[in-house]
Amino acid sequence: YSFCTLLRKRKPRRHQMPSMHLIVSGKVQGVFFRKHTKATAESLGLVGWVRNLPDGTVEVMAEASEEKPLNELRLWCETKGSPKSRVDGVHVEWGTEHGNFTKFTVTK
């Protein structure tokens, strides 16, 4: 076999889903922020998780088949949040899938 033939016979790479990692700061704990984030993520068809961090921030890991719903969740975190929350900042990191998520959950 030639080198080119071997390259053609390799299995194609599996499609990687875009992912987004957020750290949300402000008054975001004790105000149902995780519950509302989960509901919003589910309505957008996202999978992943949301959790409180010891420093008072909230961490979100989300994946989707395309970037648009991820951007919508990011925008929701930045501009809306839960009714009693106050978001001071959102740190965003983009990547490709991290886990084998099947749904969106609230974790501890």
Side-chain angles (χ1 to χ4, degrees):
Y1 289 102
S2 71
F3 181 69
C4 292
T5 303
L6 288 174
L7 285 178
R8 276 181 284 185
K9 289 189 175 199
R10 286 186 2 196
K11 289 183 180 178
R13 294 179 97 190
R14 185 170 79 99
H15 172 69
Q16 291 187 321
M17 295 172 61
S19 70
M20 177 180 71
H21 179 243
L22 303 176
I23 301 293
V24 185
S25 59
K27 184 180 177 187
V28 291
Q29 289 191 13
V31 291
F32 300 100
F33 192 87
R34 291 178 300 160
K35 175 184 173 184
H36 287 273
T37 300
K38 179 181 186 291
T40 302
E42 288 175 334
S43 74
L44 294 169
L46 303 178
V47 294
W49 48 260
V50 58
R51 68 180 174 186
N52 286 340
L53 294 178
D55 64 0
T57 60
V58 169
E59 182 178 25
V60 180
M61 175 58 69
E63 295 178 353
S65 58
E66 59 180 335
E67 283 188 25
K68 185 177 184 227
L70 294 171
N71 272 313
E72 290 179 26
L73 180 64
R74 178 192 52 79
L75 185 61
W76 178 88
C77 287
E78 291 174 346
T79 61
K80 293 184 181 172
S82 66
K84 295 183 179 183
S85 68
R86 184 196 75 247
V87 175
D88 294 336
V90 177
H91 175 78
V92 183
E93 291 180 6
W94 296 95
T96 54
E97 62 189 308
H98 291 275
N100 295 317
F101 307 122
T102 57
K103 60 184 179 177
F104 200 93
T105 60
V106 175
T107 63
K108 304 234 181 219

